[in-house]
Amino acid sequence: MEADVLIIGSGAAGLTAALQLAQKYKVVVLAKGALSDGATAWAQGGIAAVLEPGDTFESHIEDTMIAGGGLNNRATVEFVVENAPEAIERLAKLGVPFNLDGNDWHLTREGGHSHRRIVHVDDATGWAVQQALEAAAKANPSIKLVPDMVAIDLIMGRHQERFSTSGRIHGVYALNRKTGKVETFTARATILACGGAGRTYLYSTAPRGATGDGIAMAWRAGCRISNMEFMQFHPTCLYNLEVKNFLITEAVRGEGGILKNPKTGHRYMPDYDERAELAPRDIVARANDAEIKRDGLDFVHLDISHKPAEFVKEHFPNIYEKLIGLGIDITKEPIPVVPAQHYTCGGVLVDLDGRTDAPGLYAAGEVTQSGLHGANRLASNSLLECFVFGDACARHIDAHWDRLPLPPSIRPWDESRVTDSDEEVVIAQCWREIRQFMWNFVGIVRTTKRLERAQHRIDLLRREIEDYYSHFRVTPDLIELRNLVEVADLIIRSALSRHESRGLHFTLDYPALSKQAIDTILVP
């Protein structure tokens, strides 16, 4: 299938770019599963923007820089923050029903923010945004949405019928889940918008498909990858043996929720930071982790039951309904929570136009390292990045359309030297092993010895997985496992190279902060 522009990923970044480009071009959007399966639909909190009287761009910029441990690119932060109000207006015009406070939008506050600046749709903002973007994309005749396509590798010069050493990207090979066949998608420009690498970890709030596919494909295509050691752990994921990965939004703390040690009943966050529950996520996550480890707990308590019951139900209707179904009444009792991997702050290096190192390849959203988040993402800046950079990719492609060559003739996917696997257990075993040792050795608190142990295991697994990949036909699980081992290696290598504790990277061997804030950049 040939398009003017190919977009891999059907979340906020991908659909924002698609809607902008579809005004002039034919766009194909690939989704790994269903269109709504990505991380956008899971986002509870909201979108940060300067909208409150008395708030300023400079204040939002400074809050972002402080949370990011000074590692942010200030030009990127300014670019995103200054474009935020316009992005909110576009979403409102698409029909996103943001909560109102009289005639104005209702703004909430989250950890690390100095003002109320989070627009939201109850506690299910991402779902409302996803539905609005999908509806607009489905109604646009210039956009073709193709679900159930698992991207395998980017198409380069070496895949041309006439071999070339060109590093230009011409599209992607993708496995059709329904037919089991690998299909070829080509375009003059390709945008990676396929999310982060949360499923590298045992406990994560990320959707099942967050296996770092875009990061791994870009790395194999010769793109630089940056700051993969900065893996954000959300402080408050529901602890429940039956329900996995249910996030308790940051806004619960923003609206007065407090953290307590269930053993002693002590409110402990003021012991760790003067901002208490409104401290940035990395500080809160480490505090929760420390309380759990010190007292041998399974979880800590997040309590908002001191607020009026109607207030709680009004502000957090989805969380209330979900937990009441599990026998937890949050208007009367605390919520058991644990830290869990939540966001990938590193990724494919891009500039302010969303361009990667590979000609013809753009990227937007969690798959990237744009310079916005630095060493730690400020709450509710993630969806914002998707809208601003999705739009930026589209604008640059349009402005430089005449310089984008037509894709050449591409060889079809070759599976003449492989057979169907008779050892699927290998994939399941390797998957479990990676996620377990990444959680234990490359988690919230790190040491050099733990990282070296993880590196040793990843080296062994990489050889096993590459051997398996070279002998058997691809399946969705095998494609994801190949990417998972790639991004795990990138995370470990990045963590080993940073000899300081900054933002989300906290190591007992180097607890101090270096004088200079320098990005980790890995070159293929």
Side-chain angles (χ1 to χ4, degrees):
M1 185 182 291
E2 187 172 327
D4 292 331
V5 181
L6 174 67
I7 299 174
I8 306 169
S10 59
L15 293 181
T16 296
L19 289 168
Q20 180 75 11
L21 286 160
Q23 297 175 45
K24 293 172 66 174
Y25 309 105
K26 295 293 184 184
V27 181
V28 169
V29 179
L30 303 186
K32 189 176 185 178
L35 296 174
S36 301
D37 279 356
T40 295
W42 291 43
Q44 291 179 350
I47 307 160
V50 174
L51 300 165
E52 181 185 51
D55 196 4
T56 63
F57 286 153
E58 188 60 32
S59 178
H60 190 177
I61 290 164
E62 287 306 312
D63 289 347
T64 302
M65 297 287 291
I66 290 168
L71 199 63
N72 324 62
N73 180 322
R74 190 175 185 91
T76 304
V77 178
E78 291 172 355
F79 173 65
V80 174
V81 167
E82 289 168 7
N83 280 282
E86 182 186 344
I88 302 298
E89 290 287 351
R90 285 201 308 269
L91 291 167
K93 287 177 182 176
L94 281 177
V96 177
F98 293 119
N99 287 31
L100 296 174
D101 184 4
N103 293 322
D104 299 319
W105 285 318
H106 180 269
L107 304 175
T108 189
R109 185 179 173 188
E110 295 184 350
H113 288 276
S114 57
H115 289 78
R116 286 183 171 269
R117 60 168 70 105
I118 316 301
V119 295
H120 62 104
V121 182
D122 296 330
D123 54 352
T125 308
W127 179 253
V129 167
Q130 181 71 29
Q131 295 309 297
L133 291 171
E134 267 186 47
K138 287 174 180 175
N140 194 310
S142 295
I143 299 175
K144 184 174 181 60
L145 301 168
V146 189
D148 294 316
M149 284 290 175
V150 186
I152 304 171
D153 265 322
L154 294 166
I155 294 171
M156 305 171 64
R158 60 190 175 89
H159 299 115
Q160 293 177 207
E161 286 187 355
R162 182 176 180 180
F163 183 89
S164 168
T165 56
S166 165
R168 177 167 288 279
I169 302 303
H170 302 296
V172 71
Y173 290 115
L175 175 66
N176 186 322
R177 285 182 186 270
K178 293 178 179 176
T179 66
K181 301 295 183 184
V182 176
E183 299 182 17
T184 305
F185 294 84
T186 58
R188 288 168 72 163
T190 301
I191 302 175
L192 288 175
C194 38
R199 286 300 179 151
T200 318
Y201 285 86
L202 184 61
Y203 300 109
S204 174
T205 65
R208 167 67 175 75
T211 49
D213 305 333
I215 296 168
M217 289 192 297
W219 173 254
R220 291 193 292 266
C223 296
R224 290 173 299 164
I225 305 298
S226 175
N227 289 354
M228 287 299 290
E229 69 270 39
F230 297 114
M231 194 64 72
Q232 187 177 72
F233 291 83
H234 197 287
T236 54
C237 181
L238 174 68
Y239 177 82
N240 187 283
L241 297 180
E242 296 176 10
V243 178
K244 306 292 184 184
N245 314 319
F246 185 73
L247 174 68
I248 307 300
T249 175
E250 193 96 356
V252 172
R253 300 201 312 283
E255 294 296 340
I258 57 176
L259 286 160
K260 297 178 179 178
N261 184 306
K263 188 174 181 180
T264 64
H266 175 61
R267 180 190 178 191
Y268 54 82
M269 274 313 302
D271 303 339
Y272 291 89
D273 193 281
E274 62 183 12
R275 291 164 291 186
E277 281 80 9
L278 290 178
R281 288 174 175 175
D282 60 321
I283 294 171
V284 182
R286 280 200 296 276
N288 291 355
D289 185 65
E291 294 288 315
I292 288 168
K293 287 179 176 173
R294 188 192 65 221
D295 289 347
L297 308 171
D298 290 324
F299 52 82
V300 292
H301 277 154
L302 175 60
D303 194 358
I304 197 167
S305 63
H306 53 281
K307 289 282 188 178
E310 288 309 311
F311 174 91
V312 174
K313 292 177 185 178
E314 180 185 345
H315 280 73
F316 309 108
N318 291 289
I319 293 174
Y320 175 79
E321 289 297 329
K322 180 74 172 181
L323 268 60
I324 204 78
L326 298 171
I328 302 169
D329 185 346
I330 66 173
T331 67
K332 298 178 180 178
E333 59 188 313
I335 308 166
V337 295
V338 290
Q341 187 286 334
H342 185 56
Y343 194 85
T344 309
C345 287
V348 185
L349 263 179
V350 294
D351 63 12
L352 289 181
D353 296 311
R355 291 182 295 175
T356 72
D357 295 324
L361 181 65
Y362 295 75
E366 193 177 354
V367 72
T368 69
Q369 201 285 85
S370 67
L372 174 62
H373 305 305
N376 185 14
R377 175 178 71 90
L378 182 65
S380 290
N381 270 356
S382 52
L383 282 176
L384 176 59
E385 181 184 34
C386 292
F387 305 129
V388 173
F389 271 91
D391 185 64
C393 291
R395 290 181 186 276
H396 191 272
I397 289 169
D398 180 43
H400 297 81
W401 186 252
D402 292 341
R403 302 181 198 175
L404 296 170
L406 288 167
S409 297
I410 301 298
R411 297 194 310 274
W413 182 258
D414 180 13
E415 52 179 34
S416 61
R417 291 165 291 178
V418 295
T419 61
D420 290 324
S421 170
D422 58 355
E423 294 182 298
E424 290 289 323
V425 67
V426 173
I427 296 176
Q429 171 61 32
C430 290
W431 183 291
R432 284 194 297 269
E433 193 172 340
I434 291 170
R435 296 180 70 207
Q436 185 72 60
F437 72 66
M438 287 296 289
W439 182 259
N440 290 338
F441 298 152
V442 199
I444 297 171
V445 177
R446 299 162 179 175
T447 67
T448 301
K449 184 173 286 187
R450 289 180 202 160
L451 292 172
E452 287 173 345
R453 284 173 176 161
Q455 185 69 68
H456 176 68
R457 283 160 174 76
I458 212 72
D459 289 343
L460 293 172
L461 281 170
R462 174 191 286 282
R463 290 195 292 271
E464 287 182 21
I465 293 165
E466 278 302 317
D467 179 68
Y468 190 97
Y469 181 81
S470 66
H471 285 90
F472 300 117
R473 285 191 178 88
V474 291
T475 64
D477 286 348
L478 177 55
I479 294 165
E480 289 185 329
L481 178 62
R482 180 178 179 234
N483 294 330
L484 209 65
V485 76
E486 197 79 80
V487 292
D489 181 58
L490 294 170
I491 293 166
I492 296 163
R493 288 170 57 188
S494 299
L496 278 168
S497 71
R498 185 166 292 280
H499 294 169
E500 64 166 347
S501 288
R502 182 184 298 273
L504 299 164
H505 176 73
F506 186 82
T507 170
L508 297 175
D509 292 320
Y510 301 98
L513 194 67
S514 294
K515 292 180 180 179
Q516 276 189 301
I518 301 173
D519 288 327
T520 301
I521 298 177
L522 301 180
V523 181

